[in-house]
Amino acid sequence: MEADLRQDGIAGDRIYQVRRADGRIVDARAHPKMLALKATLAANLELLINGSPWNSPVVSQLVEDAAASGPGAHLEKRPDAERFDVLPLLVATDGAVAALGYDHRRLRPNILIAGVEGLAERDWPGRSLRIGNSLIGILRLRGRCVMTTWDPDSQKQSPEVFQKIQESFGGSMALDCWVIRGGTIRVGDAVELVDREGKVPREGDWGRYASEKLRNPSSNPD
């Protein structure tokens, strides 16, 4: 298994979003039934939902039902920065996941690093990860939200997961990261923690912050 790592994250990641009729993104935080939709990418990065093309009538109905946001909820292909919550990559480690004691999918990492002792990831912000020829910058620990409470298989909610993250880990777990140098990464590649290179990205250029600027250009002094 391998992935193409680019400046805007992993190729194909989150370029398809569910949106309401008014264009607002719909996600599983408030609509956990969406977790039951099984998404895969074809070789050409086109999305399949439960094995059917993303723009087929059967998928359109599945998405509208799962989104539960009224008529007009639909999938869109939009490879812009708004698809990220914060930065393009979220990296987790097996040591921290073991300390949490729940399925790593609740954290929704793009990359899961094995062989990390305990909570060592908490000392990594300000460093970089070298994987093959690729280099990933580490900004900070990620503050977690209610999304961690939803079981990815049953869609049942367990508030105690979020409570444990708050009480035992200061509300943060896994790492907000960006791509300094892209390349192909593979399962089993060695990972090296190194000093950071290059400039730290401006948060206003990514995720929800970029979206706010687009909706309110007067708030952007640049």
Side-chain angles (χ1 to χ4, degrees), residues 8-19 25 27 29 41 47 75-91 107-111 142 144 176:
D8 63 344
I10 293 176
D13 182 36
R14 309 187 196 198
I15 61 175
Y16 299 89
Q17 304 115 41
V18 177
R19 292 179 178 265
I25 289 178
D27 62 34
R29 291 179 181 89
L41 286 177
L47 179 68
L75 273 167
E76 282 189 21
K77 186 177 182 180
R78 291 177 57 169
D80 51 41
E82 189 180 23
R83 71 188 191 272
F84 303 114
D85 286 342
V86 186
L87 291 177
L89 286 179
L90 184 64
V91 176
L107 301 177
R108 296 176 297 146
N110 299 104
I111 299 172
R142 165 71 69 88
R144 306 312 308 205
D176 283 323

Side-chain angles (χ1 to χ4, degrees), residues 17-68:
Q17 304 115 41
V18 177
R19 292 179 178 265
R20 303 187 318 200
D22 63 3
R24 290 277 188 167
I25 289 178
V26 181
D27 62 34
R29 291 179 181 89
H31 304 278
K33 288 184 178 180
M34 291 170 56
L35 294 173
L37 301 178
K38 303 302 181 183
T40 55
L41 286 177
N44 61 356
L45 299 185
E46 288 295 297
L47 179 68
L48 303 176
I49 299 291
N50 294 359
S52 297
W54 69 276
N55 52 359
S56 65
V58 63
V59 169
S60 295
Q61 189 60 56
L62 286 172
V63 167
E64 186 169 316
D65 291 345

Side-chain angles (χ1 to χ4, degrees), residues 92-96 112-118 120 124 191:
T93 61
D94 61 350
L112 179 65
I113 300 175
V116 178
E117 185 176 352
W124 292 4
V191 179

